[in-house]
Amino acid sequence: QVQLVESGGGLVQPGSHLRVSCASSGSNLDYYTVGWFRQAPGKGREGLACVGVLGKGTVYADSVAGRFTIIRDIHENKVDLRVDNPKLEDTAIYYCAAKVGADCPTDSPFDRSKYQYWGQGTQITVSS
């Protein structure tokens, strides 16, 4: 059983950087495809990035490509999301999710129904 826990939330200043982590307290996360999502106030949940098993392949939403990086740390059994130059509109609850299968889905990679396990989320607030 995969039990996901996000960490690294908090208050960050625009133009700095932030990094949130996703770890599993159950099964080894290295063998699940992992995605990062976020939900801003008053908006739906948005897919951001996905990484396949053992770091095989990554997919990014067009809206964040080039500024967000998903990083799988095999030794630490976690998946991080790094955000460079955070903006006010990055304020949201950030969730990680895991799915069975080796690769990020080629069709609709951020379809939430494809992910079986979800964390509780961590709040990121970007403010000066």
Side-chain angles (χ1 to χ4, degrees), residues 40-98:
K43 296 187 177 181
R45 195 165 297 190
E46 172 191 16
L48 304 171
C50 175
V51 62
V53 167
L54 299 175
K56 176 185 174 184
T58 56
V59 177
Y60 293 92
D62 291 342
S63 60
V64 302
R67 201 163 59 87
F68 285 37
T69 305
I70 190 167
I71 303 162
R72 185 185 286 276
D73 187 331
I74 296 173
H75 299 293
E76 295 292 328
N77 187 26
K78 66 175 184 171
V79 177
D80 290 355
L81 182 71
R82 187 184 75 210
V83 181
D84 296 320
N85 189 25
K87 304 176 181 180
L88 299 179
E89 52 265 38
D90 293 324
T91 295
I93 300 175
Y94 284 70
Y95 299 90
C96 67

